[in-house]
């Protein structure tokens, strides 16, 4: 069983909203920072947002004001709610466990988000 598994994603029109969820398979993940990152076709993977075990959130510039990350410690899930989506938000979204700032050691398989114009 995957240690991190994303769900959600799909096709949405520009300006619309979408929610992604990341489920951790093991309860020990609650002690770690969990992040969402994304990778657009032909581009490098980039940080979107992260949340600590006690709910402190960090957002990239691309996410501020449009995306909200949240964590349910009891359910071992990290959600990413996205609004006012743009075609440039299209890509594969991954959740990952942060091993140190800017480094990630466990990844989900990714989920595709496509925003049509």
């Amino acid at each position: 069983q995957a240690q991190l598994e994303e769900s959600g994603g799909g096709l949405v029109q520009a300006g619309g909203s979408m929610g992604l969820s990341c489920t951790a398979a093991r309860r020990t993940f609650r002690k770690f920072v969990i992040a969402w990152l994304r990778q657009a076709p032909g581009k490098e993977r980039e940080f979107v947002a992260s949340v600590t075990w006690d709910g402190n959130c960090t957002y990239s510039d691309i996410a501020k004001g449009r995306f909200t990350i949240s964590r349910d410690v009891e359910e071992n899930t990290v959600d990413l709610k996205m609004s006012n989506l743009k075609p440039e938000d299209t890509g594969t979204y991954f959740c990952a466990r942060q091993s140190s700032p800017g480094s990630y050691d466990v990844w989900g398989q990714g989920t595709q988000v496509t925003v049509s114009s």
Side-chain angles (χ1 to χ4, degrees):
Q1 183 178 4
Q3 296 188 59
L4 290 174
E5 187 168 2
E6 302 93 343
S7 60
L11 176 65
V12 65
Q13 289 188 334
S17 300
M18 179 178 288
L20 306 178
S21 188
C22 174
T23 301
R26 299 192 323 193
R27 299 179 70 83
T28 53
F29 279 88
R30 66 175 55 185
K31 299 179 181 179
F32 291 88
V33 174
I34 301 296
W36 281 96
L37 301 96
R38 72 184 189 186
Q39 187 166 20
K43 295 187 177 181
E44 294 186 354
R45 197 169 295 180
E46 61 181 348
F47 171 81
V48 176
S50 65
V51 60
T52 64
W53 70 272
D54 56 351
N56 290 316
C57 304
T58 301
Y59 294 94
S60 65
D61 288 342
I62 59 175
K64 287 179 182 176
R66 299 191 300 131
F67 296 1
T68 302
I69 191 170
S70 62
R71 185 169 192 161
D72 187 327
V73 175
E74 292 304 318
E75 296 296 325
N76 235 21
T77 58
V78 175
D79 292 340
L80 183 70
K81 295 182 180 179
M82 306 181 290
S83 61
N84 192 21
L85 284 162
K86 306 173 183 179
E88 51 264 43
D89 293 317
T90 294
T92 303
Y93 284 68
F94 301 87
C95 64
R97 185 180 78 173
Q98 181 175 296
S99 53
S100 62
S103 296
Y104 308 92
D105 62 348
V106 180
W107 292 83
Q109 80 287 355
T111 186
Q112 179 67 33
V113 172
T114 302
V115 184
S116 62
S117 57

